[in-house]
Amino acid sequence: MLKHQMELVNKEIAQLVEELGADAIELAEHFTELDSIDMEQFSVPLQSIPIRCDVRTLPWKKLGLWCQFDVVMMDPPWQLASKAPTRGVALGYSQLPNREIMDMPIPLIQSNGFIFIWVINSRYSFALEMMQHWGYEFVDDITWVKSTVNGRLAKGHGFYLQHAKESCLVGMKGNRPESLQGNISPDVIVSQRRGQSQKPEEIYKLIETLVPDGLIHPLNFHVD
């Protein structure tokens, strides 16, 4: 099933590249990593339980009763407001307005611990407001510097400057996790840009170093 879905994605990418021509170059670059994935060998990571659903209808209360997480990582589908937000590059996911993202009942699944929120430049201030709304204190941020396969900056479209990085805000609420190991990992990640909206593997290693053996919930949003 997963292999078939990936084949369909690749066909759609090829069709977009043909239709958009030069404007599709960046889109194609976003998905080059798909070709290197051996779907026959793919398996769910140990201690992971994948949940595929529309986050707007996720049974948050049941999830919170089943488990309270030490770390939550969010990659919200921020809504882009400009007239031509993607500059000819198709987004492979639906977007949500700020209010719907803030309405996610995150406190139901975490009473104590850390939250990591990936943000775009225009939503930086709102993400801080959202943290406070959920009861978190902003404590740090992480910068991901994107590189190409040749080790150069992987620059993308921006309004004033070309963007070659992403930011992840870190908040904390309640009691610190018992296994917390602070002041070990750096706040900068330098790694290759991969699939569209795909975050670097290093962020997971950083979190697992910060909170060894913690209960971690990565929220990669899906909206039907």
Side-chain angles (χ1 to χ4, degrees):
M1 176 65 71
L2 184 58
K3 182 179 180 181
H4 176 66
Q5 290 177 339
M6 297 302 289
E7 290 175 348
L8 291 177
V9 170
N10 282 322
K11 288 181 180 179
E12 291 180 4
I13 294 170
Q15 183 177 354
L16 283 171
V17 170
E18 183 177 352
E19 292 176 356
L20 298 175
D23 289 335
I25 292 177
E26 184 172 349
L27 174 63
E29 288 176 351
H30 277 308
F31 286 93
T32 51
E33 190 68 16
L34 292 176
D35 295 332
S36 65
I37 299 176
D38 186 349
M39 301 313 301
E40 296 290 347
Q41 301 298 320
F42 178 83
S43 61
V44 176
L46 294 175
Q47 301 179 331
S48 296
I49 302 175
I51 302 174
R52 178 178 174 82
C53 70
D54 188 323
V55 292
R56 295 170 298 182
T57 58
L58 177 72
W60 295 92
K61 187 175 182 179
K62 289 184 179 180
L63 180 61
L65 291 173
W66 173 70
C67 180
Q68 286 290 298
F69 294 93
D70 294 312
V71 179
V72 171
M73 186 176 75
M74 298 178 61
D75 185 16
W78 300 109
Q79 190 171 58
L80 304 177
S82 63
K83 294 181 179 179
T86 61
R87 307 287 182 86
V89 179
L91 292 177
Y93 55 85
S94 299
Q95 302 168 61
L96 286 178
N98 291 350
R99 177 51 56 182
E100 288 196 41
I101 296 174
M102 183 180 277
D103 285 345
M104 301 290 176
I106 301 300
L108 290 179
I109 63 172
Q110 186 177 53
S111 300
N112 304 283
F114 292 96
I115 189 167
F116 290 68
I117 305 179
W118 289 96
V119 296
I120 56 177
N121 287 0
S122 61
R123 296 295 181 270
Y124 201 102
S125 296
F126 179 77
L128 292 173
E129 178 184 341
M130 192 164 62
M131 268 191 187
Q132 185 177 22
H133 173 74
W134 288 331
Y136 295 91
E137 177 187 5
F138 171 70
V139 296
D140 221 324
D141 68 344
I142 298 164
T143 298
W144 169 29
V145 179
K146 302 178 183 181
S147 65
T148 66
V149 293
N150 298 319
R152 299 178 179 178
L153 283 179
K155 294 177 287 186
H157 292 299
F159 193 82
Y160 296 105
L161 302 173
Q162 290 183 324
H163 294 168
K165 68 174 180 64
E166 284 192 42
S167 297
C168 182
L169 308 185
V170 184
M172 190 181 72
K173 67 185 297 188
N175 301 320
R176 298 176 179 177
E178 293 182 1
S179 62
L180 176 65
Q181 299 292 322
N183 199 31
I184 295 178
S185 300
D187 60 358
V188 175
I189 295 172
V190 181
S191 69
Q192 288 183 21
R193 181 179 63 188
R194 302 187 296 165
Q196 186 182 49
S197 195
Q198 188 176 6
K199 300 305 182 277
E201 290 293 331
E202 288 84 352
I203 188 65
Y204 301 103
K205 297 176 182 177
L206 184 153
I207 292 173
E208 290 170 355
T209 299
L210 179 66
V211 187
D213 301 319
L215 295 173
I216 302 170
H217 186 23
L219 285 174
N220 290 314
F221 284 84
H222 167 65
V223 181
D224 287 331

